[in-house]
Amino acid sequence: MLETAATHGLHEATRRSLQAMPKELPPVWLYDARGSRFYDEITRLPDYYLPRREAEIMQARTSLIAERTKARTLVELGSGSAPNTRFLLDALSRTLERYVPIDVSEQALHDSAERIAAAYPAISVEPVVGDFERDFGTTPGDGPRLVAFLGSTIGNLYPAQRAAFLSALALELGDDDALLLGVDLVKDVGRLEAAYDDPSGVTEAFVRNALRAVNRELEATFGQERFDYDLLWDPADEWMDVGLRARESHLVSVRRLGLELDFAEGERLRVEISAKFRREALELELERAGLSPKSWWTDAAGDFAVVLAHPPS
Ligand SMILES: C[S@@+](CC[C@H](N)C(=O)[O-])C[C@H]1O[C@@H](n2cnc3c(N)ncnc32)[C@H](O)[C@@H]1O
């Protein structure tokens, strides 16, 4: 595989994460073509309530969002198969000219862009393969722009990373632009655990796929049989900590990074966090980043929220 600036950035981030304590893989490794297919399967699991709750909110609120934003460009960060985007595309039909989805998962991005282009021929669909933390500033499109960040993907970022990302985004937004953010809310731990640990094992397969991707792309020697799937709720940080735990002490080499990793028996490898949010704290975070949260909508059960935020006027 050729090393580009983008893969170099990911490789360096992977080196730092694997040398950290606890050891960790950047969650981007979850989303190769196979991982994106697993994620789509997860969204259909009965206990993975997030996309359905978000859909309920979007169905009820997108006319108002369209009226308020009058967006000509819809940019979607981490769009994946864009299951709830159609609510926005339908509601914005009078003003929308361009849809610009950004995702690292190239195949999933192109498949969904093709489907959307066929279903909405009046809109120009311009997919960008890239990292939303790095490449947002390069996306095309005239204002007013609506930037959608759905599916609670923001929960995969650490608080400091989230703050830096939101501040950078706020600086890129023009006066007429807006951010639409979908976030999962803090709730009963049993329901959160059920959402990330389905009995059919799809979530485990999704997480294990990150090892497979790293073995392939970085010539690593992670053995699936040497790790168990491991899920923790972190009550202090209020995030699900999703990863793998070494069954025995062993060495793993990551040849392309020149690393030899020593795993102790029981040692964890974190693969993603999924932070859960509370209204007051998230609104404060948005304000600190230079964004004014104007609306906060939840589903009837209060499981999920969608926030519309603007640069301060
Ligand atoms: C949790 S899924 C959500 C997908 C979709 N928005 C939804 O609601 O179903 C996260 C998506 O973000 C993409 N992704 C994760 N990290 C990314 C990054 N740093 N830059 C761009 N895309 C990223 C993944 O490939 C995946 O499609």
Side-chain angles (χ1 to χ4, degrees):
M1 196 180 120
L2 274 179
E3 186 158 308
T4 62
T7 55
H8 178 75
L10 174 60
H11 292 184
E12 286 315 303
T14 305
R15 179 197 305 284
R16 284 193 300 277
S17 307
L18 286 173
Q19 289 177 319
M21 277 303 268
K23 294 186 179 69
E24 193 168 344
L25 281 174
V28 167
W29 287 109
L30 292 164
Y31 294 100
D32 61 359
R34 187 168 180 264
S36 292
R37 286 196 296 276
F38 279 133
Y39 182 74
D40 284 346
E41 267 187 69
I42 290 172
T43 64
R44 293 189 286 274
L45 293 169
D47 288 326
Y48 196 76
Y49 57 84
L50 291 77
R52 286 179 292 283
R53 297 296 192 255
E54 186 178 64
E56 181 187 323
I57 304 167
M58 298 286 272
Q59 195 158 22
R61 306 297 180 176
T62 39
S63 311
L64 185 59
I65 294 167
E67 209 175 287
R68 294 224 189 124
T69 61
K70 298 185 178 55
R72 290 172 70 194
T73 302
L74 172 62
V75 179
E76 183 169 9
L77 311 179
S79 49
S81 63
N84 289 332
T85 311
R86 66 194 163 91
F87 295 109
L88 288 170
L89 295 169
D90 289 342
L92 286 165
S93 64
R94 276 210 296 266
T95 57
L96 197 68
E97 295 164 8
R98 247 191 190 125
Y99 171 56
V100 184
I102 312 180
D103 205 291
V104 279
S105 191
E106 187 166 357
Q107 188 63 50
L109 175 72
H110 287 302
D111 290 351
S112 95
E114 261 178 44
R115 269 198 311 276
I116 288 173
Y120 296 87
I123 298 168
S124 169
V125 178
E126 302 174 24
V128 175
V129 180
D131 184 324
F132 52 64
E133 285 185 84
R134 198 193 49 221
D135 301 321
F136 171 74
T138 67
T139 54
D142 300 321
R145 291 180 302 171
L146 176 60
V147 179
F149 196 15
L150 303 176
S152 207
T153 304
I154 194 165
N156 297 145
L157 306 183
Y158 286 100
Q161 204 184 355
R162 223 159 54 207
F165 168 71
L166 288 171
S167 303
L169 187 68
L171 288 177
E172 290 285 343
L173 295 184
D175 291 346
D176 296 337
D177 296 345
L179 168 68
L180 189 71
L181 187 61
V183 291
D184 195 17
L185 301 178
V186 174
K187 57 180 61 62
D188 168 64
V189 176
R191 286 189 57 216
L192 289 172
E193 285 171 349
Y196 291 86
D197 197 5
D198 57 294
S200 53
V202 179
T203 315
E204 177 173 344
F206 168 67
V207 169
R208 286 184 176 280
N209 187 59
L211 296 189
R212 196 176 138 131
V214 172
N215 284 352
R216 181 187 64 233
E217 301 296 333
L218 298 182
E219 296 170 35
T221 61
F222 284 102
Q224 298 284 0
E225 68 294 346
R226 300 188 112 157
F227 291 91
D228 288 317
Y229 180 52
D230 194 57
L231 183 66
L232 302 171
W233 166 248
D234 180 331
D237 291 309
E238 296 193 316
W239 63 51
M240 296 302 300
D241 182 336
V242 181
L244 298 157
R245 192 178 287 282
R247 284 182 193 159
E248 58 199 351
S249 72
H250 67 283
L251 289 176
V252 173
S253 75
V254 187
R255 236 167 271 136
R256 290 200 63 185
L257 301 182
L259 291 180
E260 284 290 321
L261 304 170
D262 198 348
F263 278 90
E265 184 183 339
E267 186 175 348
R268 274 186 113 245
L269 172 67
R270 180 182 285 162
V271 178
E272 69 170 3
I273 57 156
S274 183
K276 306 300 164 190
F277 296 87
R278 294 179 190 268
R279 179 173 184 170
E280 207 179 318
L282 181 61
E283 289 186 338
L284 193 62
E285 265 189 56
L286 288 166
E287 277 160 16
R288 285 195 177 133
L291 291 161
S292 299
K294 296 277 197 244
S295 301
W296 171 280
W297 298 293
T298 67
D299 57 291
D303 283 339
F304 199 91
V306 171
V307 189
L308 185 63
H310 297 264
S313 41

